[in-house]
Amino acid sequence: MFPEVVAEGSLAAALRKAAHGKGYVLDIVGPDQDPLRHASVPSPATGREPLGVSAWRFEPRWSISGFGRGAGSGEPKWLISGSTQDLTEIAIAAHGWQNGLSLSEIARIAPFVELTGYLEVPDDDPVHAIASQWSYLRADALRAAWPEQHELIEAAYARPEMRSRHAYTSHWSLRFPTSGDQTSSPDLVCLEASPGGKYTVRARWNGPIIGQTAMAEEAVSVAINHLPAMS
């Protein structure tokens, strides 16, 4: 299925050759096991983990997956993904990742690349971490075929009282934890969007109902009015 890879002996070698054809020099690592299907491209850029490159099993296609966090010390986030049948396109994206191009610039030079929405946090400033969370939430809601959830997230983001707080989605709801550690922090408030346009505000996930509205903006206002008592 991948004659160009077999001819070179490994995916790393084939990717290196494809990069050379574009005038690039790539540092690529091939694993000891299954070298025809996997390779990784390390990056000296602060906070970026090696870009993973994998061959599909049942279709002549390759995919990439890139994690990183920027200069901050938080958990790495899934920053980029994508798949293509053109190994040269993989080489272009890998070259951008390795040489520290911005995420948006990588997506520009390699259009198959999809941005998850997470941003690379330049430091440990909570403001930047919160901005990254919201960027992902908005991009993810836009991708989903769920207009009510998209309206809810955009309505919450439009209010500075909400977009200045940590937020995440879980169990089909938009939740606001007391801190950035969402796994152990209790909710300040939780908002749910239902198909057809009904919005429910709860004190926490699966907790008591604070209010129900027909509009996302109204649900956000109910949540904001509840926040002072919970913060």
Side-chain angles (χ1 to χ4, degrees):
M1 192 177 295
F2 303 99
E4 64 269 54
V5 174
V6 174
E8 296 299 322
S10 69
L11 177 55
L15 188 55
R16 195 175 294 115
K17 182 178 179 179
H20 182 74
K22 297 294 294 184
Y24 303 150
V25 176
L26 273 181
D27 178 18
I28 309 169
V29 179
D32 293 333
Q33 294 185 341
D34 211 355
L36 294 177
R37 293 189 61 245
H38 298 285
S40 62
V41 182
S43 175
T46 303
R48 283 188 182 177
E49 297 189 350
L51 182 73
V53 182
S54 299
W56 289 27
R57 283 191 179 276
F58 305 110
E59 184 179 336
R61 180 176 289 271
W62 293 272
S63 63
I64 63 168
S65 184
F67 287 76
R69 59 180 180 273
S73 61
E75 288 294 319
K77 301 293 187 181
W78 189 18
L79 302 177
I80 66 173
S81 63
S83 66
T84 176
Q85 293 181 317
D86 188 344
L87 195 58
T88 298
E89 290 186 342
I90 296 286
I92 293 171
H95 182 261
W97 179 264
Q98 186 162 88
N99 285 273
L101 294 187
S102 68
L103 302 179
S104 59
E105 183 66 10
I106 294 172
R108 187 190 68 79
I109 64 174
F112 80 93
V113 170
E114 299 176 3
L115 305 183
T116 66
Y118 278 120
L119 308 175
E120 292 181 287
V121 179
D123 49 38
D124 285 322
D125 188 338
V127 172
H128 294 145
I130 290 172
S132 178
Q133 289 175 343
W134 276 105
S135 178
Y136 170 77
L137 288 174
R138 298 179 73 200
D140 190 54
L142 192 60
R143 289 189 292 263
W146 188 2
E148 293 84 4
Q149 179 79 337
H150 181 233
E151 290 175 10
L152 178 62
I153 288 175
E154 287 299 318
Y157 182 76
R159 299 291 295 269
E161 304 98 317
M162 304 300 264
R163 70 169 176 264
S164 62
R165 298 176 180 269
H166 290 282
Y168 70 105
T169 53
S170 177
H171 293 84
W172 310 105
S173 61
L174 175 61
R175 301 168 65 175
F176 292 83
T178 55
S179 73
D181 184 5
Q182 61 196 45
T183 59
S184 60
S185 299
D187 294 330
L188 289 168
V189 71
C190 175
L191 298 90
E192 302 169 354
S194 300
K198 185 174 76 173
Y199 299 89
T200 302
V201 183
R202 297 179 182 271
R204 60 186 179 277
W205 178 74
N206 213 25
I209 294 176
I210 300 167
Q212 290 182 313
T213 73
M215 304 212 30
E217 293 82 0
E218 294 173 351
V220 172
S221 293
V222 170
I224 289 173
N225 290 334
H226 183 73
L227 282 174
M230 299 297 293
S231 58

